[in-house]
């Protein structure tokens, strides 16, 4: 018997589950840290002030594609994907034009919110949102088994606990968020302080596509602060992770409610999403746009040709947004999905090629703002990549820097052979010592592929997975984090294990694998938190110098506001609250050039005075690390600063490791003429 269930009735039916889920997740946070629970309560609001207006902006944009009537789940997913992607580009354009004033953006997001509400009201009245129909399979999903979603609640607790740590506290494998403090948040901080987005000759990472960082920048503008926005930036990244789970569910729901639940839970129970939620990186954003693009692609495979191309164009738009998060999304998301388009059902290969061109053109359009920006600022659309092709030499860059970049982004010598690369794959995916993929998603994906009759969709997903593996093995430096894109086809293949025709016995086995595998993943994730996460820590601990090993931050931030500081060695400038100049290791350093060109040390001191530097902060531990890895100027050493002291450079403070006593940082004052 078929029963119609209107969307509002379905929402009321799922409300108890949502309440229980939220209570369980927040209770998990409170058990570990009441401070973290308070931080979630305050900072999540700041994150939602960025995300919700973007979603409402997406409600308006959905109508552009004329996709016809859709279920609520698709309206939500597409509104989130189109809105967040478009909002990122809107911030980019405004930043390039120097329009980053807080009153302007408060008014703009308010207007977008109102427009979205009005469009939503009109869509509901015109019945563009489909009612839900409960088949026997739907009833299964809407019954007691829907509480399987509670499996994801402990993982959300861990993600929230990770996110409430200000950047720099976690994780050791990621250098305790070194990249966040060097550019993911540092560059938005610089843009906000300057009032515009411009070329940064001291930080090559400013030339990376930065859709997610644009939302961090918007958060800084709206909060009228930068250093204190680290936790809300983490939570924006966490929201992207949660939306990735929603996208997996929506994609799997095209096959059956069981498949949707399994795909969503397979994604939600991996350790990677929670791990990344403690870092204001971009991977969760890339995963969300990539998963949403895959969902649109797979929906297109089920539609008539009248609507198929519109959905493929939409998939291209979303894939382009993923590429606007990270360069690696081009070969690992956009390209594999594009190959999948060529194997879609179509009357002829000519139609498939036209579909592929439409998809690729749409992806190029939404990534092109970043390519055009780079072309205009550096002379290369993909700077600093492919520099041997484009031969760009913008300020702060040249052949030595390009060679250093290439050396620094190669696999370790022992991993450059085929066997070494395969060993790295084993070590970072099934054999990962943190089990951030874990056995559940891998086992269910294999079951979804081999324990049922395969079709064209399976072929497309296998091709996506194969191409991603090939790119990771042959064209990256084999970082574990770069393999996270495998989550997209793996989660969808896992969902395929629970097709509509699955019997009770097989479904019981699937649920057993999911439950046991999720428990396995949680044990590893919780143990990592126990060892590395303080369970919520404010930014003030860093910038006030209360974190062991970072006491110099408190000293420098306590200097008068008219000081101008040069950092030597360290490029983690985020927590300095005084005017600071720095240079990442790959860029040409004006200080190193001054040392090399000056006739003597007196000339170097004169150069410091001419540049207006009142203080020089030398991070000896970072100089040692860079010397042993990427390389560092050999002229900059302890002997140089002893000679500079003889010419008047005054040592004013020195900081050592609290346990070993090893010198970490020295602060010098430039003599006045």
């Amino acid at each position: 018997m078929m029963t119609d269930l209107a969307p509002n009735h379905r929402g009321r039916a799922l409300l108890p589950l949502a309440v229980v889920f939220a209570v369980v997740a927040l209770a998990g946070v409170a058990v570990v840290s009441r401070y973290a629970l308070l931080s979630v309560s305050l900072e999540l609001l700041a994150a939602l002030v960025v995300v919700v207006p973007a979603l409402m902006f997406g409600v308006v944009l959905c109508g552009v594609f004329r996709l016809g009537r859709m279920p609520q789940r698709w309206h939500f997913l597409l509104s989130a994907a189109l809105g967040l992607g478009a909002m990122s580009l809107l911030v980019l354009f405004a930043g390039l034009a120097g329009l980053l004033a807080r009153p302007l953006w408060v008014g703009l997001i308010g207007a977008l919110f109102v427009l979205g509400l009005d469009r939503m009201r009109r869509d509901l009245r015109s019945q563009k949102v489909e009612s839900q129909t409960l088949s026997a399979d739907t009833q299964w999903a809407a019954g007691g088994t829907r509480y399987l979603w509670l499996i994801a609640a402990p993982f959300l607790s861990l993600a929230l606990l990770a996110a409430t740590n200000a950047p720099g506290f976690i994780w050791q494998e990621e250098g305790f968020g070194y990249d966040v403090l060097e550019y993911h948040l540092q560059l938005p901080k610089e843009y906000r302080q300057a009032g515009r987005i411009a070329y940064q000759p001291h930080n090559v990472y400013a030339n990376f596509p930065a859709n997610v960082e644009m939302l961090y920048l918007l958060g800084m503008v709206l909060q009228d602060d930068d250093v204190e926005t680290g936790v809300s930036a983490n939570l924006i990244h966490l929201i992207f992770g949660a939306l990735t789970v929603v996208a997996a569910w929506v994609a799997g729901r095209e096959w059956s409610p069981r498949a949707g639940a399994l795909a969503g839970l397979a994604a939600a129970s991996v350790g990677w999403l929670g791990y990344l939620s403690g870092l204001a990186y971009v991977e969760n954003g890339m995963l969300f746009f990539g998963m949403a693009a895959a969902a649109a692609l797979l929906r297109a495979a089920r539609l008539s040709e009248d609507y198929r191309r519109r959905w493929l164009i939409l998939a291209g738009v979303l894939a382009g947004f993923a590429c606007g998060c990270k360069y690696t999304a081009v070969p690992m998301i956009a390209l594999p999905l594009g190959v999948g388009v060529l194997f879609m059902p179509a009357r002829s290969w000519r139609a498939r090629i036209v579909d592929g061109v439409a998809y690729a053109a749409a992806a190029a359009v939404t990534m092109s703002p970043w390519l055009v920006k780079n072309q205009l600022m550096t002379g290369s659309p993909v700077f600093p990549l492919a520099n041997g092709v484009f031969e760009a030499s913008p300020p702060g860059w040249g052949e030595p820097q390009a060679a250093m970049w290439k050396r620094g982004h190669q696999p370790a010598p022992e991993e450059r052979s085929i066997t070494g690369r395969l060993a790295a794959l084993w070590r970072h995916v099934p054999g990962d010592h943190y089990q951030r993929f874990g056995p559940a998603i891998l086992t269910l994906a294999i079951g979804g592929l081999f324990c049922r009759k395969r079709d064209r969709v399976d072929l497309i997903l296998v091709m996506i997975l194969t191409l991603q593996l090939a790119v990771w093995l042959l064209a990256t430096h084999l970082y574990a984090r770069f393999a996270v894109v495998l989550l997209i086809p793996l989660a969808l293949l896992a969902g395929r294990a629970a097709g509509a025709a699955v019997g009770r016995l097989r479904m019981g086995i699937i649920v057993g694998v999911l439950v046991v595998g999720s428990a396995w993943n949680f044990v590893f994730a919780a143990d990592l938190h126990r060892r590395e996460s303080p369970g919520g820590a404010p930014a003030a601990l860093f910038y006030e110098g209360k974190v062991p090993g970072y006491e110099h931050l408190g000293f420098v931030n306590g200097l008068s506001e008219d000081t101008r500081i040069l950092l030597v060695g360290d490029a983690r400038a985020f927590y300095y609250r005084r005017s600071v100049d720095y240079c990442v290791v790959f860029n040409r350093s004006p200080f190193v050039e001054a040392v090399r060109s000056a006739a003597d040390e007196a000339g170097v001191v004169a150069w410091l005075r001419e540049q207006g530097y009142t203080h020089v902060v030398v991070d000896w531990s970072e100089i040692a690390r860079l010397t042993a890895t990427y390389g560092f100027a050999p002229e900059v050493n302890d002997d140089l600063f002893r000679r500079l002291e003889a010419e008047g450079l005054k040592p004013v403070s020195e900081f050592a490791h609290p346990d070993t006593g090893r010198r970490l940082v020295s602060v010098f004052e430039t003599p006045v003429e």
Side-chain angles (χ1 to χ4, degrees), residues 225-518:
D225 201 341
D226 35 55
V227 173
E228 295 287 357
T229 61
V231 170
S232 62
N234 286 344
L235 287 167
I236 290 173
H237 203 226
L238 183 152
I239 290 170
F240 271 118
L243 289 172
T244 301
V245 174
V246 172
W249 168 69
V250 171
R253 186 63 178 75
E254 288 297 292
W255 308 313
S256 75
R258 294 176 176 181
L262 189 59
L265 285 168
S269 60
V270 300
W272 267 118
L273 293 183
Y275 182 90
L276 291 168
S277 295
L279 299 161
Y281 278 178
V282 302
E283 276 77 8
N284 281 354
M286 177 183 65
L287 282 174
F288 168 58
F289 289 121
M291 189 73 82
L297 177 73
L298 296 176
R299 181 172 173 84
R302 304 179 69 237
L303 298 175
S304 66
E305 292 195 14
D306 292 339
Y307 280 98
R308 181 182 303 151
R309 191 160 295 160
R310 296 179 190 178
W311 278 86
L312 291 178
I313 291 172
L314 175 64
V317 167
L318 301 181
F321 285 148
C323 297
C325 295
K326 194 177 180 74
Y327 275 135
T328 54
V330 176
M332 300 184 81
I333 292 178
L335 177 61
L337 291 180
V339 173
V341 171
L342 299 179
F343 287 85
M344 298 281 286
R347 289 176 297 180
S348 65
W349 269 101
R350 180 180 180 277
R352 290 174 181 168
I353 291 172
V354 172
D355 286 344
V357 170
Y359 162 87
V365 167
T366 48
M367 189 189 180
S368 63
W370 296 106
L371 304 180
V372 172
K373 166 188 169 291
N374 271 4
Q375 179 65 43
L376 294 176
M377 289 185 177
T378 71
S380 166
V382 292
F383 183 80
L385 306 185
N387 217 42
V389 176
F390 295 99
E391 297 182 353
S393 296
W397 196 262
E399 288 186 12
Q401 287 70 40
M404 187 179 183
W405 176 274
K406 185 176 180 180
R407 288 194 308 271
H409 292 82
Q410 290 180 343
E414 65 273 14
E415 294 179 339
R416 293 174 190 173
S417 66
I418 293 298
T419 55
R421 292 173 188 271
L422 292 174
L425 176 63
W426 173 266
R427 189 168 60 254
H428 292 316
V429 182
D432 178 23
H433 56 287
Y434 296 138
Q435 288 294 285
R436 285 166 295 190
F437 278 101
I441 193 170
L442 300 175
T443 303
L444 292 171
I446 293 171
L449 187 60
F450 293 107
C451 296
R452 43 174 288 280
K453 185 178 179 180
R454 291 175 292 280
D455 58 22
R456 190 185 298 268
V457 169
D458 298 303
L459 173 64
I460 292 173
L461 291 174
V462 169
M463 283 193 305
I464 293 171
L465 180 61
T466 302
L467 287 171
Q468 288 179 337
L469 284 169
V471 172
W472 187 86
L473 283 167
L474 303 175
T476 74
H477 44 311
L478 305 179
Y479 271 20
R481 176 164 40 93
F482 283 31
V484 74
V485 293
L486 302 177
L487 176 64
I488 297 172
L490 286 174
L492 299 179
L493 283 169
R496 301 283 285 172
V502 174
R504 289 184 179 274
L505 176 60
R506 181 174 162 187
M507 198 63 219
I509 295 173
I510 289 171
V511 171
V513 170
L514 176 66
V515 171
V516 173
S518 297

Side-chain angles (χ1 to χ4, degrees), residues 87-112:
M87 183 69 85
S88 296
L89 295 182
L90 189 60
V91 176
L92 169 65
F93 296 143
L96 291 171
L99 301 174
L100 293 177
R102 185 171 184 263
L104 170 67
W105 279 98
V106 170
L108 182 57
I109 65 169
L112 291 175

Side-chain angles (χ1 to χ4, degrees), residues 531-599:
R531 288 184 284 113
E532 293 197 25
S533 172
L541 293 178
F542 263 115
Y543 63 73
E544 291 177 0
K546 296 178 180 178
V547 178
Y550 293 88
E551 291 87 353
H552 64 282
L553 289 172
F555 177 83
V556 174
N557 289 330
L559 297 173
S560 63
E561 293 188 3
D562 60 350
T563 57
R564 187 180 176 201
I565 299 153
L566 173 67
L567 297 188
V568 177
D570 193 14
R572 294 167 295 181
F574 184 65
Y575 283 123
Y576 286 97
R577 311 207 78 168
R578 296 291 177 265
S579 177
V580 172
D581 285 354
Y582 68 98
C583 190
V584 304
V585 68
F586 295 110
N587 280 102
R588 185 183 296 126
S589 169
F591 175 70
V592 171
E593 291 184 342
V595 170
R596 290 172 176 171
S597 62

Side-chain angles (χ1 to χ4, degrees), residues 22-45 157 160-165 231 235 535-537:
V23 168
V24 171
L26 293 176
V29 174
V31 166
V32 177
S33 169
R34 292 182 181 179
Y35 169 81
L37 182 63
L38 177 63
S39 182
V40 167
S41 304
L42 298 176
E43 298 294 345
L44 185 59
L45 179 62
S157 298
L160 290 169
L161 285 167
T164 55
N165 293 304
V231 170
L235 287 167

